[in-house]
Amino acid sequence: MKKCLPWLLLLVISWGCKDKKVDLSGETPVKVSDFIAAFPKINPPYSVADSNIQKVADTVTIGYKALLQFFPDSSLKQIVGTAKKVVVHPVGIIEKEKENYLLVNLVVPKKNIHLAVFVLDKKNKYLASKELLTQQNNDEYLHAVSVNREPTFLVSKEKMGKDNSLKFSRTGWVYTSEGSFMVVVNDSNEDPAKTDVINPIDTLPRKNKYSGDYVQDKKNYISIRDTKKPNVYQFFIHFEKNNGSCTGELKGEMTMQSANTAIFKENGDPCLIDFRFEGNEITLKETGSCGNHRGIKCYFDDTFIRKKEPRSSKKKKST
């Protein structure tokens, strides 16, 4: 029996270690692996409304001090201000090829709940953050945020007007390689100034063969711009069909497959689009499932005509 006691003691210690809870209070250093493991995986599409913002978070609590080990104090103060007490709940993680997006509930007791997104690179270095939703809206609107696979964070508000029509405003945000969030969608039926679509790649270089704008009208177009690789182009597509009842939008990169054909495909996204250049036209053909980037009854199947570039005026040299 005495010979068995050491083995029994080792088993008890081993069992105790397995059941030991991870300390996420921040009072002691938190391992990156333990911090990331606290966030359940989210596979977009995903949506949250201000009415259920409190319910989306898991029961796990992360100490504010633990958050400060991974996120700069300035990024948190932009959301919760100078609040002395903040309760943190992990909502989930969206994993992409180049970065991870952590959705976090920041609760200021008896005051407000903030849903925010924090972007980390693959080495878990902080890149950017943005508040998405809050309970502190004293208006008659339903506020919500929906996330697609890209991901684009579409922040919206809507209500029924006195004429029994839906009034809405929607702003789409994406994280860019420049290290910040930018607006790619700005749509509203209340403020005419917000109905114009913002082209996120408009100012990028357009020196390569197929770079330029291919249009039908101001709400149906594809913009193509250079990348560092001559056989790869950046593009941004926006369309509104059926009198605006069905819309689609996608930003990505196309890779040339031949002299006049290209393809869009991205890891983790079932969407596939074939592109064909003929003369001054480009034709799109959706060959994969792109439902996360468009309406249910419309597709990325269309032809656009290249817009002529304005010639820069040059002074003629006197002879």
Side-chain angles (χ1 to χ4, degrees), residues 239 242 245-248 286 289-300:
F239 67 77
N242 304 327
S245 64
C246 193
T247 63
E286 182 177 327
S289 178
C290 300
N292 291 318
H293 308 289
R294 55 163 174 75
I296 298 174
K297 296 182 179 180
C298 49
Y299 302 89
F300 289 97

Side-chain angles (χ1 to χ4, degrees), residues 100-137:
N100 292 329
Y101 298 80
L102 304 182
L103 295 180
V104 184
N105 262 8
L106 301 171
V107 183
V108 180
K110 298 181 180 180
K111 286 189 177 182
N112 199 8
I113 300 176
H114 307 264
L115 174 66
V117 57
F118 294 85
V119 189
L120 302 179
D121 66 14
K122 287 303 181 178
K123 294 182 179 180
N124 296 305
K125 179 183 177 182
Y126 171 83
L127 297 174
S129 60
K130 178 169 181 56
E131 183 181 64
L132 300 172
L133 205 59
T134 175
Q135 275 193 329
Q136 205 171 38
N137 289 305

Side-chain angles (χ1 to χ4, degrees), residues 133-145:
L133 205 59
T134 175
Q135 275 193 329
Q136 205 171 38
N137 289 305
N138 299 317
D139 54 27
E140 299 176 352
Y141 290 87
L142 169 67
H143 295 257
V145 59

Side-chain angles (χ1 to χ4, degrees), residues 241-253:
K241 298 181 178 180
N242 304 327
N243 295 319
S245 64
C246 193
T247 63
E249 197 167 85
L250 176 62
K251 182 172 75 73
E253 292 185 349

Side-chain angles (χ1 to χ4, degrees), residues 32-82:
V32 172
S33 56
D34 290 336
F35 177 73
I36 297 297
F39 291 80
K41 288 186 179 180
I42 293 175
N43 295 312
Y46 179 81
S47 60
V48 184
D50 55 1
S51 58
N52 68 340
I53 186 174
Q54 190 170 2
K55 297 178 181 179
V56 297
D58 191 76
T59 53
V60 174
T61 300
I62 298 176
Y64 193 69
K65 290 182 179 179
L67 225 59
L68 289 171
Q69 293 181 29
F70 302 96
F71 308 148
D73 182 53
S74 57
S75 68
L76 293 165
K77 284 186 176 179
Q78 285 180 358
I79 300 169
V80 298
T82 57

Side-chain angles (χ1 to χ4, degrees), residues 80-306:
V80 298
T82 57
K84 293 182 179 180
K85 185 177 181 181
V86 181
V87 182
V88 182
H89 296 293
V91 176
I93 180 172
I94 300 171
E95 297 179 336
K96 300 299 291 184
E97 186 177 355
K98 296 181 180 179
E99 65 272 331
N100 292 329
Y101 298 80
L102 304 182
L103 295 180
V104 184
N105 262 8
L106 301 171
V107 183
V108 180
K110 298 181 180 180
K111 286 189 177 182
N112 199 8
I113 300 176
H114 307 264
L115 174 66
V117 57
F118 294 85
V119 189
L120 302 179
D121 66 14
K122 287 303 181 178
K123 294 182 179 180
N124 296 305
K125 179 183 177 182
Y126 171 83
L127 297 174
S129 60
K130 178 169 181 56
E131 183 181 64
L132 300 172
L133 205 59
T134 175
Q135 275 193 329
Q136 205 171 38
N137 289 305
N138 299 317
D139 54 27
E140 299 176 352
Y141 290 87
L142 169 67
H143 295 257
V145 59
S146 59
V147 189
N148 65 14
R149 288 183 182 272
E150 191 175 347
T152 298
F153 298 87
L154 188 66
V155 181
S156 64
K157 65 174 187 177
E158 56 184 45
K159 69 174 181 178
M160 296 303 296
K162 294 180 179 180
D163 57 354
N164 206 32
S165 63
L166 180 66
K167 305 295 183 183
F168 67 85
S169 293
R170 302 183 182 113
T171 305
W173 297 85
V174 297
Y175 172 75
T176 71
S177 57
E178 284 74 26
S180 62
F181 281 88
M182 69 181 297
V183 175
V184 293
V185 178
N186 202 356
D187 189 18
S188 173
N189 65 355
E190 296 183 282
D191 182 0
K194 292 184 178 181
T195 59
D196 290 337
V197 180
I198 296 176
N199 183 347
I201 66 172
D202 186 41
T203 58
L204 298 181
R206 54 175 86 183
K207 296 179 181 179
N208 291 341
K209 182 178 179 179
Y210 293 119
S211 292
D213 294 326
Y214 298 75
V215 304
Q216 292 178 353
D217 54 50
K218 67 179 182 179
K219 292 188 177 181
N220 292 272
Y221 65 88
I222 173 171
S223 289
I224 300 175
R225 299 292 185 266
D226 305 347
T227 68
K228 293 180 180 179
K229 299 177 181 179
N231 67 324
V232 178
Y233 289 86
Q234 295 188 66
F235 70 85
F236 174 71
I237 308 169
H238 180 89
F239 67 77
E240 298 185 17
K241 298 181 178 180
N242 304 327
N243 295 319
S245 64
C246 193
T247 63
E249 197 167 85
L250 176 62
K251 182 172 75 73
E253 292 185 349
M254 67 172 78
T255 302
M256 299 302 297
Q257 302 295 295
S258 69
N260 68 329
T261 62
I263 188 172
F264 162 77
K265 59 180 179 180
E266 187 178 80
N267 290 340
D269 192 337
C271 181
L272 295 172
I273 300 177
D274 289 331
F275 300 86
R276 176 175 291 276
F277 297 91
E278 291 182 340
N280 65 340
E281 295 183 351
I282 181 173
T283 298
L284 286 58
K285 179 67 177 177
E286 182 177 327
T287 56
S289 178
C290 300
N292 291 318
H293 308 289
R294 55 163 174 75
I296 298 174
K297 296 182 179 180
C298 49
Y299 302 89
F300 289 97
D301 295 342
D302 222 329
T303 297
F304 301 89
I305 300 174
R306 187 167 188 165

